[in-house]
Amino acid sequence: MGTLTGRTALVTGGSRGIGRAIAERLGREGAVVAVHYGRAADAADEVVAAIRAGGGSAFAVHAELGVSGDVETLWEGYDRQILEHADRAGLDILVNNAGITPRGEIEETTAESFDEAVAVNMRAPFFLTQQGLKRLRDGGRIVNISSGATRIALTDIIAYAMTKGAVEAFTLTLAKALGGRGITVNSVAPGIVDTDINASWLRGNEAAERSAAALSALGRVGRPEDVADVVAFLASDDGRWVTGQVVDATGGSQL
């Protein structure tokens, strides 16, 4: 019996990186996990297979976020499949993890890339949560993935940091709004993590890895599991008295 046995979870962007680690950790804890993906169907299937191989239950849900009808498509897919894997409809844990990271200083940021970041990083989790509230059971959990970039000024991802600042404001206000239902709402803010999105400049580049590791008080680059473990705590009964918070999971970067 895991800490989440009998519960259902939806992880957006669950096919790779931090999202995959979160989905697999929640699955190991006994939750039925809906693994959302935008384009990487094969990767989502791998996550589902890994959870099932470990004795858990999972299924994939497709929706490209940031386009018209994205939230409706995602929830339709979830509702259509949930009773094949769980004994009741509804949801206990929502993890808003999916996001994109447009790079560029303010002078280099185009209106198109900015609008896309807003659509995926801000609009999608807002309306996904809005429409999910009728499915989310009292006593449920919402965990939003933010970023250490809201605390540490990184000028080459200014638009991204701006969207994640909005996510943290959303978290604070939503925690107040849903407290009466016993639903906790928190953000987790990762730092530099060794994922596919950072592979092009981090992996195989010893100088870059040393530089990234030096930012952390703990002297290494983060791993997806470092973040997933924090999310699992917040999703469990152990996290019942924590809400409206931003949990820094940067390994003490730039303290």
Side-chain angles (χ1 to χ4, degrees):
M1 296 288 287
T3 61
L4 301 177
T5 297
R7 301 182 193 181
T8 58
L10 168 62
V11 181
T12 67
S15 65
R16 60 182 64 186
I18 292 172
R20 175 171 184 162
I22 293 170
E24 292 185 356
R25 175 62 197 274
L26 298 185
R28 288 196 301 272
E29 292 298 335
V32 175
V33 184
V35 180
H36 160 261
Y37 69 96
R39 299 174 183 173
D42 290 346
D45 289 342
E46 287 180 7
V47 180
V48 169
I51 293 172
R52 292 177 178 173
S57 179
F59 60 96
V61 180
H62 172 258
E64 184 177 353
L65 299 182
V67 301
S68 178
D70 52 356
V71 170
E72 291 79 7
T73 297
L74 198 160
W75 280 123
E76 286 170 5
Y78 178 89
D79 292 339
R80 186 173 59 251
Q81 298 184 73
I82 185 60
L83 289 178
E84 299 174 13
H85 304 275
D87 58 6
R88 55 179 177 166
L91 183 71
D92 297 290
I93 302 159
L94 172 61
V95 182
N96 287 308
N97 165 77
I100 58 174
T101 310
R103 293 191 173 274
E105 307 282 340
I106 188 169
E107 297 88 352
E108 302 164 334
T109 302
T110 65
E112 291 75 16
S113 66
F114 183 89
D115 288 346
E116 184 181 14
V118 169
V120 176
N121 298 355
M122 292 170 53
R123 186 184 186 280
F126 183 96
F127 288 102
L128 182 69
T129 302
Q130 181 199 65
Q131 294 190 28
L133 290 180
K134 61 186 177 184
R135 298 169 174 87
L136 190 64
R137 284 182 272 275
D138 291 356
R141 303 284 188 265
I142 298 174
V143 182
N144 300 317
I145 304 303
S146 178
S147 171
T150 63
R151 175 176 64 82
I152 302 165
L154 301 171
T155 61
D156 64 330
I157 53 172
I158 186 170
Y160 170 77
M162 187 174 177
T163 64
K164 291 302 185 179
V167 167
E168 294 184 2
F170 177 53
T171 296
L172 178 66
T173 309
L174 193 62
K176 176 76 170 179
L178 299 181
R181 294 180 54 190
I183 296 170
T184 67
V185 188
N186 293 285
S187 290
V188 176
I192 298 175
V193 180
D194 185 6
T195 62
D196 291 345
I197 199 170
N198 291 321
S200 61
W201 65 272
L202 184 62
R203 293 177 187 170
N205 186 332
E206 293 184 7
E209 186 170 355
R210 284 196 302 270
S211 177
L215 296 175
S216 166
L218 300 176
R220 66 170 174 84
V221 174
R223 297 185 290 265
E225 293 76 14
D226 296 326
V227 182
D229 290 348
V230 178
V231 173
F233 162 74
L234 293 171
S236 74
D237 288 340
D238 290 342
R240 63 191 176 277
W241 204 235
V242 181
T243 194
Q245 302 304 304
V246 178
V247 181
D248 187 295
T250 68
S253 292
Q254 293 195 2
L255 292 180

